[in-house]
């Protein structure tokens, strides 16, 4: 029988893990696949690791990897995919916001409809603060214009993939990982399954608003170089403006004489152009800092314990 590894990133999820385990067991019991669980403990500070150990003790199909510290969900997903051995891999959040009842039909689509991957997306953002939804929609709109890969609005990381696709994803060993882009970048035939947003079963979200903003900048830097082009264009426009202003002022001084006036406008122009310069430097700096991190070639995660 073919095997399917369920990869589950967990960070401070002691309450959610047992509920998740029960719910998934129930959902996949009639599927003609051998399932195994691969929990990834991303440096949790609560009893997450103990809960994983207990489960692994009771059930041979449960495995876990425990990181030496918190490396982030991207690292946890990467580690899970890298260590997975199944012919298929499912990535799922542990908080049951990703409905396990979809797994049988996802497998069905891969088996019978010739897809390499079945991915899910939320069709609504119920229960989310409106300001957060607004920024999320803005992010996808921008990415749609500037990024070279297809990013589907509301896409979750919850997906069912063939071994071939997982191996391709793992072969992208970049340090600054943005999976939503990577999934699209590797290609393969993907079927999108919509579902309605759900509340977490237990625990709290690990994403603050600030972290989400940071994450979206990472996505932009990782999958588009458009901001660098924009900053060059802004630079060229300002060169033209300043050149035109220079000619205008020079001619005016020749024709009308040169009374010492207009320093407020001068001060404004200097601060304005300095602001633009710093802004463009900042954009360049973001790409440079990411390159720096990439060049160092540090490992994406460090394992402390596994079973
Ligand atoms: N997670 C993780 N490392 C982190 C943050 C989150 O492994 O640093 C896991 C978390 O345990 C959960 C999943 O990633 O299984 C999604 O996190 P969360 O539910 O907090 O995100 P949201 O659903 O609110 O976007
Ligand atoms: Mg969640």
């Amino acid at each position: 029988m073919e095997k399917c590894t369920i990869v589950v990133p967990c960070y401070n999820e002691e309450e959610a893990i047992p509920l998740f385990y029960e719910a998934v067991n129930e959902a996949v019991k009639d599927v003609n696949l051998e399932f195994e669980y691969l929990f990834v403990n991303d440096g949790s500070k609560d009893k997450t690791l103990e809960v994983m150990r207990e489960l692994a003790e009771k059930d041979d199909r449960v495995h876990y990897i425990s990181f030496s510290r918190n490396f982030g969900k991207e690292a946890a997903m990467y580690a899970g995919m890298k260590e997975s051995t199944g012919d298929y891999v499912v990535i799922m959040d542990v908080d049951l916001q990703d409905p396990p009842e979809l797994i049988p039909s996802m497998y069905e689509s891969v088996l019978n409809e010739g897809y390499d991957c079945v991915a899910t997306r939320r069709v609504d953002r119920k229960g989310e603060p409106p300001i957060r939804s607004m920024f999320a929609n803005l992010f996808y709109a921008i990415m749609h214009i500037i990024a070279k890969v297809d990013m589907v609005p509301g896409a979750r990381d919850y997906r069912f993939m063939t071994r071939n696709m997982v191996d391709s994803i793992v072969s992208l060993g970049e340090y600054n990982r943005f999976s939503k882009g990577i999934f699209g970048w590797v290609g393969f035939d993907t079927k999108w399954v919509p579902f309605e947003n759900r509340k977490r079963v237990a625990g709290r979200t690990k994403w603050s608003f600030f972290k989400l903003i940071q994450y979206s900048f990472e996505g932009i830097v990782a999958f588009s170089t458009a901001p660098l082009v924009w900053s060059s264009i802004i630079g060229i426009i300002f060169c033209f403006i300043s050149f035109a202003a220079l000619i205008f002022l020079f001619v005016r001084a020749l024709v009308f004489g040169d009374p010492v006036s207009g320093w407020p406008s001068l001060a404004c122009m200097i601060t304005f152009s300095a602001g633009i310069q710093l802004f463009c430097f900042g954009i360049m700096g973001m790409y440079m800092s990411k390159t720096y991190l990439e060049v160092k070639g540090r490992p994406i995660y460090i394992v402390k314990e596994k079973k």
Side-chain angles (χ1 to χ4, degrees):
M1 207 196 303
E2 287 190 303
K3 195 166 79 170
C4 174
T5 309
I6 302 178
V7 170
V8 198
C10 304
Y11 178 52
N12 296 343
E13 303 280 10
E14 54 181 10
E15 296 157 54
I17 292 172
L19 301 171
F20 171 86
Y21 173 75
E22 291 300 325
V24 176
N25 269 344
E26 182 60 31
V28 303
K29 66 177 192 297
D30 297 327
V31 182
N32 194 23
L33 276 175
E34 193 186 312
F35 282 91
E36 68 170 13
Y37 295 86
L38 180 52
F39 291 100
V40 183
N41 174 30
D42 184 12
S44 302
K45 292 176 183 69
D46 63 359
K47 299 224 161 21
T48 298
L49 181 57
E50 279 91 324
V51 176
M52 287 180 187
R53 280 197 198 116
E54 265 168 45
L55 268 187
E57 199 69 18
K58 274 199 309 210
D59 186 344
D60 281 344
R61 301 171 308 152
V62 174
H63 303 273
Y64 63 82
I65 310 172
S66 185
F67 288 175
S68 59
R69 65 167 169 87
N70 180 249
F71 281 87
K73 188 187 174 189
E74 290 289 340
M77 289 195 291
Y78 177 73
M81 282 189 274
K82 197 165 175 192
E83 307 272 337
S84 68
T85 53
D87 302 290
Y88 302 99
V89 172
V90 181
I91 299 181
M92 272 179 106
D93 285 3
V94 73
D95 55 10
L96 290 179
Q97 280 186 305
D98 298 333
E101 359 17 304
L102 294 180
I103 294 177
S105 66
M106 287 165 124
Y107 173 54
E108 194 67 22
S109 297
V110 169
L111 196 64
N112 298 327
E113 294 168 31
Y115 288 103
D116 305 291
C117 169
V118 181
T120 58
R121 64 187 196 87
R122 295 190 291 182
V123 282
D124 62 317
R125 290 176 168 272
K126 250 190 298 198
E128 191 182 68
I131 179 106
R132 189 183 270 209
S133 308
M134 197 186 84
F135 273 97
N137 291 333
L138 183 69
F139 170 72
Y140 284 111
I142 293 175
M143 280 310 252
H144 182 69
I145 299 168
I146 66 172
K148 292 181 186 67
V149 295
D150 189 26
M151 263 174 240
V152 177
R156 305 278 305 169
D157 294 323
Y158 178 29
R159 41 177 75 220
F160 189 105
M161 292 173 279
T162 57
R163 182 80 253 163
N164 197 357
M165 179 162 176
V166 173
D167 287 342
S168 320
I169 293 167
V170 171
S171 75
L172 267 69
E174 61 215 69
Y175 183 80
N176 297 288
R177 302 190 73 78
F178 187 73
S179 287
K180 284 184 176 33
I182 291 175
F183 290 139
W185 193 91
V186 295
F188 293 97
D189 293 327
T190 301
K191 177 178 181 177
W192 286 95
V193 178
F195 70 89
E196 272 177 25
N197 198 21
R198 321 194 155 176
K199 287 222 167 72
R200 261 182 167 270
V201 277
R204 281 193 295 127
T205 176
K206 310 299 176 305
W207 290 93
S208 65
F209 187 64
F210 180 68
K211 260 177 134 178
L212 281 172
I213 297 277
Q214 213 179 342
Y215 184 61
S216 62
F217 278 126
E218 267 165 36
I220 292 173
V221 173
F223 278 92
S224 171
T225 45
L228 288 172
V229 178
W230 297 340
S231 66
S232 314
I233 293 173
I234 293 173
I236 292 168
I237 292 173
F238 271 79
C239 282
F240 275 116
I241 293 175
S242 66
F243 190 66
L246 186 88
I247 291 175
F248 170 73
L249 292 173
F250 190 71
V251 171
R252 194 178 65 171
L254 278 184
V255 177
F256 298 104
D258 185 21
V260 182
S261 69
W263 71 266
S265 58
L266 196 66
C268 290
M269 275 189 279
I270 290 172
T271 50
F272 185 59
S273 63
I276 294 285
Q277 281 179 30
L278 285 177
F279 174 71
C280 294
F281 265 144
I283 291 178
M284 236 162 66
M286 282 204 316
Y287 284 86
M288 227 172 70
S289 67
K290 293 292 173 198
T291 313
Y292 176 56
L293 288 173
E294 215 61 69
V295 163
K296 282 202 276 197
R298 289 186 177 166
I300 297 167
Y301 62 94
I302 294 171
V303 177
K304 189 175 162 194
E305 180 184 327
K306 74 182 203 181
K307 197 223 141 210

